[in-house]
C-alpha cells in the first residue's frame, strides 16, 4: 500500500462545475495535509493546507479532512480552464523521521 | 523577496557520469529539501538539510548525496548516473525545519543518455 494514494485521473469536468479530488493516507499519526497544484513543466505550488478535521475554505477551494477515515479531499468550485493541472496531495509524517510524502497526483482537465 | 533558485535548469549527461545540482533558498530559509519527480514514481523525497546537517533521508541509494553550506545554499550530487536517474529534481525550502509550508524552486531537468 502506498503511503499517500490518489486517483491518477485524468478527471475531466466542464467549466463552471465542481471538481472533486480525493486522497487517502496510511500513517494514522499524520497531522498536516496539503494540496499542491502543478502545471505542466512547472514546479508545485501550495494552494491549501489543513490540520483539523472538517472543512477549510479559501476562495473557490475547499479542503476536507477526515482523520478517522484517513481521507483528505479538495473541492474546486466554478472550475475554470486555468485550473487544468495536476493536483498533488501531500502529508507530513514523523514516522522514521519528519518528511513530506506526496501522492502521485490527479490530472484535472476543465473543458471550456 | 526572490524565490527559490535552482541551477542549472537543464542537463544532459551520459551513463556513468556524475552531476551536481544547486539550490539557493529564499532569503532567511534555512531548511532545504530535495525531491525527485518522474512520471512513474511521482514526487519522491531524497533528503532534507537544516543548518548544514542532514535531518532526514529518503529511500535512495548512496549514489545520491547532498550538502548544505553556511549560507543555506544546498547542492545534491548523483554519481555513476543511470538511465533511470532521468527526472525533474526539485528543491523546496522552509524557514525552519519542521515548519509546514515549503516553497519549491523551478527544478532541474536531468536527462541521462
Amino acid at each position: 500500500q502506498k503511503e499517500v494514494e490518489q486517483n491518477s485521473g485524468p478527471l475531466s469536468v466542464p467549466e463552471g462545475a465542481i471538481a472533486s479530488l480525493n486522497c487517502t493516507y496510511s500513517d494514522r499519526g499524520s497531522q498536516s495535509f496539503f494540496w499542491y497544484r502543478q502545471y505542466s513543466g512547472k514546479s508545485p505550488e501550495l494552494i491549501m493546507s489543513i490540520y483539523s478535521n472538517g472543512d477549510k475554505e479559501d476562495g473557490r477551494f475547499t479542503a476536507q479532512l477526515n482523520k478517522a477515515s484517513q481521507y483528505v479531499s479538495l473541492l474546486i468550485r466554478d472550475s475554470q480552464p486555468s485550473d487544468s493541472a495536476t493536483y498533488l496531495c501531500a502529508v507530513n509524517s514523523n514516522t522514521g523521521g519528519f518528511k513530506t510524502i506526496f501522492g502521485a497526483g490527479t490530472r484535472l482537465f476543465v473543458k471550456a | 523577496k526572490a524565490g527559490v533558485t535552482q541551477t542549472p535548469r537543464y542537463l544532459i549527461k551520459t551513463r556513468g557520469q556524475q552531476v551536481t545540482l544547486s539550490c539557493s533558498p529564499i532569503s532567511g530559509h534555512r531548511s532545504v529539501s530535495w525531491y525527485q519527480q518522474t512520471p512513474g514514481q511521482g514526487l519522491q523525497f531524497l533528503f532534507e538539510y537544516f543548518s548544514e546537517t542532514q535531518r532526514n533521508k529518503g529511500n535512495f541509494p548512496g549514489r545520491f548525496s547532498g550538502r548544505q553550506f553556511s549560507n543555506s545554499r544546498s547542492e545534491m550530487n548523483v554519481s555513476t548516473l543511470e538511465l533511470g536517474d532521468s527526472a525533474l529534481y526539485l528543491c523546496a525550502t522552509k524557514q525552519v525545519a519542521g515548519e509546514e509550508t515549503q516553497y519549491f524552486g523551478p527544478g532541474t531537468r536531468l536527462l541521462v543518455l
Side-chain angles (χ1 to χ4, degrees), chain A:
Chain A
Q1 182 193 5
K2 289 187 178 179
E3 293 175 276
V4 179
E5 293 209 53
Q6 295 180 254
N7 187 327
S8 62
L11 173 65
S12 184
V13 300
E15 184 175 0
I18 296 175
S20 178
L21 306 165
N22 305 313
C23 171
T24 57
Y25 60 95
S26 61
D27 184 355
R28 284 198 166 273
S30 298
Q31 297 293 324
S32 308
F33 309 87
F34 309 90
W35 283 99
Y36 287 81
R37 177 176 61 199
Q38 186 174 24
Y39 292 112
S40 181
K42 301 293 186 182
S43 58
E45 57 175 323
L46 180 69
I47 53 173
M48 288 287 285
S49 59
I50 187 166
Y51 309 105
S52 306
N53 279 330
D55 295 359
K56 179 181 177 183
E57 187 175 316
D58 184 0
R60 296 186 296 113
F61 299 96
T62 298
Q64 299 175 315
L65 175 61
N66 184 326
K67 290 184 181 179
S69 300
Q70 295 173 247
Y71 175 91
V72 58
S73 66
L74 179 70
L75 299 177
I76 306 175
R77 290 181 302 281
D78 188 24
S79 295
Q80 301 296 309
S82 59
D83 295 326
S84 298
T86 296
Y87 289 80
L88 302 170
C89 172
V91 176
N92 276 358
S93 169
N94 206 18
T95 302
F98 185 88
K99 57 185 177 292
T100 302
I101 302 169
F102 285 81
T106 298
R107 293 185 67 191
L108 172 66
F109 290 105
V110 181
K111 299 173 293 186

Side-chain angles (χ1 to χ4, degrees), chain B residues 46-100:
Chain B
L46 279 155
F47 28 64
E48 180 187 7
Y49 284 87
F50 178 74
S51 293
E52 303 177 64
T53 302
Q54 187 180 91
R55 286 190 74 235
N56 200 5
K57 192 175 189 302
N59 296 322
F60 278 82
R63 300 186 296 108
F64 292 82
S65 62
R67 59 178 176 169
Q68 186 179 34
F69 302 95
S70 58
N71 62 357
S72 295
R73 188 178 70 86
S74 178
E75 288 181 348
M76 67 162 283
N77 184 275
V78 188
S79 62
T80 320
L81 284 166
E82 300 177 359
L83 296 179
D85 296 333
S86 295
L88 178 66
Y89 290 87
L90 293 158
C91 75
T93 76
K94 298 182 286 190
Q95 282 191 312
V96 296
E99 186 181 68
E100 304 300 345

Side-chain angles (χ1 to χ4, degrees), chain B residues 95-110:
Chain B
Q95 282 191 312
V96 296
E99 186 181 68
E100 304 300 345
T101 302
Q102 57 183 347
Y103 299 87
F104 281 88
T108 294
R109 189 164 295 278
L110 172 65

